[in-house]
Amino acid sequence: MKLLGSALVAALLFVVAKYIFLSTPLGEIAAKLKSGADLTYTATYTTTGGVRATIVRQPPNLALIRGDRRYIVTSQDTWICRSSTACTRLPGSPTADPLARDVAKSFGGHLITPGVAAGLLLGAVAISNLKTETTRRTIAGQPSSCVAVDGVTKAVLDEAGLESDPGPAWMSVCSTDAGVLAELVVRRSDGRAPISMKLTKYSSGVAAADAFRPPPRAKVTSG
């Protein structure tokens, strides 16, 4: 009976903690980004250095494209393309939203998935003395909610696969009302160029028929 009571208390505490988190600005935007995993869309971004990047989602398929690099996940396979002529095929799908470190390694931390952005917010909520500010903006024609967070720790950024220094970082994350990542900016304390992604074009469909296939001239090897 005591074990049952303890389990019930733990379950209730979890529900209360989840409710409290979801009622915070961090939780609200994280929940929006998580809900966007069910959408079909093509989102184009300007990333660090002015490089164009694209996220194409058609559940369970997901394609991340930046320059010549691609990270493609389908229900059967995963392809990691380091260039337009060389790809590695991995059998099976890791998750609908790839592992943060895999994506960071593929794109040098310059392309962040909505799931990873939500994870950054989830990690930040546990930081004490965190300063937050919320705003409403229109980004690429999409009504969006944003939260700026000052004091993000190295541990939170490392978990997302982003290189960071020991000092606290400033971060801003925006989600469209539909749950698409609209903007992400991370400013680290060591003066390095910020990590940035800003939505420039959005369509509720798959713009390219070959989005979930390696480039046609790519040599594919098995990993």
Side-chain angles (χ1 to χ4, degrees), residues 140-158:
Q142 305 298 310
S144 304
S145 297
C146 303
V147 60
V149 185
D150 196 4
V152 180
T153 63
K154 173 179 171 59
V156 171
L157 296 178
D158 285 349

Side-chain angles (χ1 to χ4, degrees), residues 36-202:
D38 297 326
L39 298 175
T40 294
Y41 65 86
T42 300
T44 303
Y45 299 85
T46 296
T47 67
T48 305
V51 180
R52 174 178 166 175
T54 305
I55 295 177
V56 186
R57 189 186 288 276
Q58 187 180 46
N61 302 327
L62 177 68
L64 309 172
I65 305 164
R66 185 178 188 267
D68 289 338
R69 299 191 172 202
R70 297 190 181 197
Y71 193 113
I72 303 167
V73 178
T74 69
S75 58
Q76 287 83 33
D77 298 292
T78 297
W79 287 275
I80 300 175
C81 302
R82 308 291 185 192
S83 70
S84 60
T85 58
C87 298
T88 301
R89 175 180 172 272
L90 306 174
S93 170
T95 60
D97 219 336
L99 297 174
R101 294 185 185 279
D102 287 349
V103 175
K105 185 176 180 180
S106 297
F107 297 102
H110 297 303
L111 179 53
I112 309 298
T113 68
V116 171
L120 285 168
L121 296 176
L122 289 168
V125 76
I127 301 171
S128 59
N129 300 319
L130 196 69
K131 298 176 182 178
T132 63
E133 180 181 357
T134 59
T135 55
R136 286 284 294 173
R137 295 167 55 191
T138 299
I139 301 174
Q142 305 298 310
S144 304
S145 297
C146 303
V147 60
V149 185
D150 196 4
V152 180
T153 63
K154 173 179 171 59
V156 171
L157 296 178
D158 285 349
E159 186 65 26
L162 304 178
E163 289 186 6
S164 60
D165 57 278
W170 180 92
M171 175 178 73
S172 175
V173 180
C174 301
S175 171
T176 70
D177 290 350
V180 175
L181 180 62
E183 185 177 73
L184 183 141
V185 179
V186 178
R187 295 177 186 159
R188 295 163 288 195
S189 61
D190 62 356
R192 282 183 290 175
I195 297 169
S196 65
M197 285 180 63
K198 185 173 183 179
L199 184 68
T200 56
K201 185 178 180 181
Y202 172 81

